Amino acid sequence: MKFFRFRKKRDNGRFSWKNLSPEFRQKKKAAEILIADSRDSADYYVMLIIATLIITFGLVENNAAVIIGGMLVAPVLFPILALGLGAASMRPSLFIRSLRVLIASVVLILTLSSAVAYFMDPGTFVNTQVELRLSFSILSVGVAFLAGFAGGYAWVRESLRANLPGVA
C-alpha cells in the first residue's frame, strides 16, 4: 500500500493534502470516522447493556443463535479497532482512550451479567455454551486475528463496511 503517493503536479514543492492519492485520503477519512465512532457515549453504553442482557439470556438458555445475535448488537468493535489504530499509528492518547473504554465495558459487562445470572437458576451456569466460550485453543487465536484483520480491512474500504457485522 502506498500511503504517500503524490501526483506529478506539486504546489511549488510544498506539502499539500491535495497532492495525496485518493487511497490515502480514503484511509485518512476512515481513520477519522473510526476515532469519532469509538468514543464512549450514552448510546454506546445503552447498546452495550442491551447486548449484555441478550447474551446473558442466551447463555442461560443455552441458545447459540441468541448469543450470536447479542454479539451483533454489541458496540465494542469500534473501540477495539481504535485500540489497534492507536497502537499501529503510535498515538498513545488514542490507545489509552480506547483501552479505558474497553476496560470500562468489560467491568460493566461482567457486573451486569453476574447480577442477572445471580437471580437465575444456579444450575444453569455451566452448560455447553458457557464451556464453549471458556475453552481456548490456537485456532481461536487464529480466528480472532483473521476477524480483526477482516474488520480493519472492511472499515478502510467504504464499499465493504456493510460486512462489518459479520466480523462478530
Side-chain angles (χ1 to χ4, degrees), residues 1-2 11 15 18 20 29 42 45 50 60 82 90-91 94 97 100 135 139 147 158 168:
M1 291 183 218
K2 297 181 181 179
D11 296 332
F15 175 80
K18 294 177 184 175
L20 295 175
K29 180 182 174 187
Y45 287 111
I50 292 169
V60 171
M90 291 186 265
R91 295 177 62 184
L94 177 60
R97 189 198 75 203
R100 182 184 55 80
S135 65
L139 292 176
E158 278 188 47

Side-chain angles (χ1 to χ4, degrees), residues 38-134:
S38 68
R39 286 177 167 50
D40 57 344
S41 64
D43 292 336
Y44 172 83
Y45 287 111
V46 166
M47 292 302 292
L48 189 66
I49 289 169
I50 292 169
T52 301
L53 292 173
I54 292 170
I55 293 168
T56 302
F57 295 152
L59 284 170
V60 171
E61 261 187 8
N62 199 16
N63 188 334
V66 173
I67 296 167
I68 292 168
M71 290 171 149
L72 292 175
V73 173
V76 294
L77 178 64
F78 297 124
I80 291 171
L81 289 175
L83 183 76
L85 179 64
S89 63
M90 291 186 265
R91 295 177 62 184
S93 61
L94 177 60
F95 183 85
I96 291 169
R97 189 198 75 203
S98 300
L99 188 62
R100 182 184 55 80
V101 169
L102 288 171
I103 289 171
S105 299
V106 168
V107 168
L108 176 67
I109 289 167
L110 290 176
T111 303
L112 182 62
S113 61
S114 297
V116 169
Y118 177 77
F119 293 107
M120 296 190 167
D121 183 18
T124 61
F125 287 147
V126 180
N127 56 38
T128 57
Q129 293 303 322
V130 174
E131 289 174 0
L132 286 172
R133 301 304 178 264
L134 293 176

